[in-house]
Amino acid sequence: MLRLSALYRYPLKSAKGEVLNQVSLDKLGLDGDRRWMLVDEASGRFLTQRAVASMSQLSALWNAQGGLTLSAPGRAPIDIVLPGNEAQLRGVTIWRDTLRVPDAGDAASAWVSSFIGKPTRLVHVPLERARSTQAGYGKDDDQVAFADGFPLLLIGQASVEDLSQRVGRPLEMLRFRPNLVVEGSEAYAEDGWKRIRIGDVEFRVVKPCSRCILTTIDPQTGERSADREPLATLQGYRAQENGAMFGQNLVNDGNGRLEVGMPITVLE
């Protein structure tokens, strides 16, 4: 039997993940997932662990009002409220998308700038300012917050165990930053799924996830593995034209609630 064995949310793009037992879904995926992002103050370009490895040590907890609590080793935490209608809009760039989104204000900026080490702004994306998902996949009205391309990422527990065996050491699930983890399937079974149901919600499996250097960063220490693992192994047996694929991007059709332990049904 397939079941949902773990749930993860990443309130701030490229910061630490939250382990959840249950969560609601909205049009943009898990409630509160990657609704916040750090951008370079001068260019408006998004910041991630790819360029700023210390972001792996940045903790961002989401609250029910949509705000954030940011904390990091050796720093006093800061509570940030959801920007109101009067908030300044800031032009930002994430991959090929440019959009204008609310800025969290100067106090938040001072805190994140001190942490990053250069002038940085914290921005939020409300539902009405969300981006379209990657062209050529899914439906025309599919939307995403600040996740790379799609609202949700699913990985099979058996797939991570198989990769760990190939690499020769256990790999932490958070290296791969999934939202949903499936237990009870064979390794890479998710590659063949097109539609699944969890609880009352149906999900479309729209595209495999192309993996990058982030998988080589230890989620606990923020250090990159000297042997480029597990990316090197993935490139050896999971390479396609657009990269080494591991995990599947999903879009949820409708809102609802997820809870760890729920059965998963493969519809197609």
Side-chain angles (χ1 to χ4, degrees), residues 203-214:
F203 300 81
R204 281 173 284 125
V205 184
V206 291
K207 182 183 180 294
C209 181
S210 174
R211 307 317 301 223
C212 68
I213 200 73
L214 278 190

Side-chain angles (χ1 to χ4, degrees), residues 104-247:
D106 291 343
S109 175
W111 197 99
V112 296
S113 296
S114 173
F115 176 80
I116 296 293
K118 64 177 182 179
T120 302
R121 304 299 298 195
L122 176 66
V123 296
H124 175 263
V125 60
L127 177 59
E128 63 271 16
R129 292 184 174 272
R131 304 143 59 213
S132 296
T133 55
Q134 189 174 336
Y137 300 94
K139 299 177 181 177
D140 290 345
D141 62 346
D142 288 341
Q143 289 182 291
V144 62
F146 288 139
D148 279 350
F150 300 92
L152 296 156
L153 178 65
L154 175 146
I155 290 181
Q157 180 68 44
S159 304
V160 174
E161 290 169 0
D162 178 79
L163 176 58
S164 296
Q165 195 170 11
R166 292 168 186 265
V167 171
R169 60 175 182 265
L171 297 166
E172 309 89 337
M173 185 60 73
L174 280 169
R175 279 184 187 265
F176 308 103
R177 300 180 74 82
N179 297 111
L180 315 176
V181 180
V182 179
E183 191 177 80
S185 61
E186 294 183 358
Y188 315 108
E190 60 270 24
D191 293 352
W193 300 343
K194 294 181 179 177
R195 285 190 309 124
I196 64 172
R197 184 172 61 235
I198 310 174
D200 297 327
V201 185
E202 289 191 14
F203 300 81
R204 281 173 284 125
V205 184
V206 291
K207 182 183 180 294
C209 181
S210 174
R211 307 317 301 223
C212 68
I213 200 73
L214 278 190
T215 58
T216 69
I217 298 176
D218 186 316
Q220 299 302 320
T221 66
E223 296 176 359
R224 286 189 183 171
S225 53
D227 56 6
R228 292 186 71 251
E229 292 293 10
L231 187 58
T233 293
L234 281 173
Q235 288 170 334
Y237 80 109
R238 297 285 294 175
Q240 294 183 14
E241 186 179 348
N242 296 320
M245 303 299 178
F246 192 70

Side-chain angles (χ1 to χ4, degrees), residues 95-107:
W95 299 115
R96 296 179 180 177
D97 294 333
T98 56
L99 58 161
R100 292 179 62 77
V101 290
D103 184 286
D106 291 343

Side-chain angles (χ1 to χ4, degrees), residues 45-95:
R45 185 148 186 86
F46 74 119
L47 300 177
T48 72
Q49 291 181 37
R50 294 173 185 89
V52 187
S54 60
M55 285 183 68
S56 66
Q57 304 307 295
L58 182 56
S59 173
L61 297 179
W62 184 83
N63 64 45
Q65 289 73 46
L68 276 187
T69 298
L70 293 180
S71 60
R75 295 174 182 271
I78 182 173
D79 291 319
I80 295 153
V81 298
L82 192 67
N85 294 331
E86 74 291 344
Q88 175 191 352
L89 295 180
R90 181 169 295 275
V92 303
T93 303
I94 170 170
W95 299 115

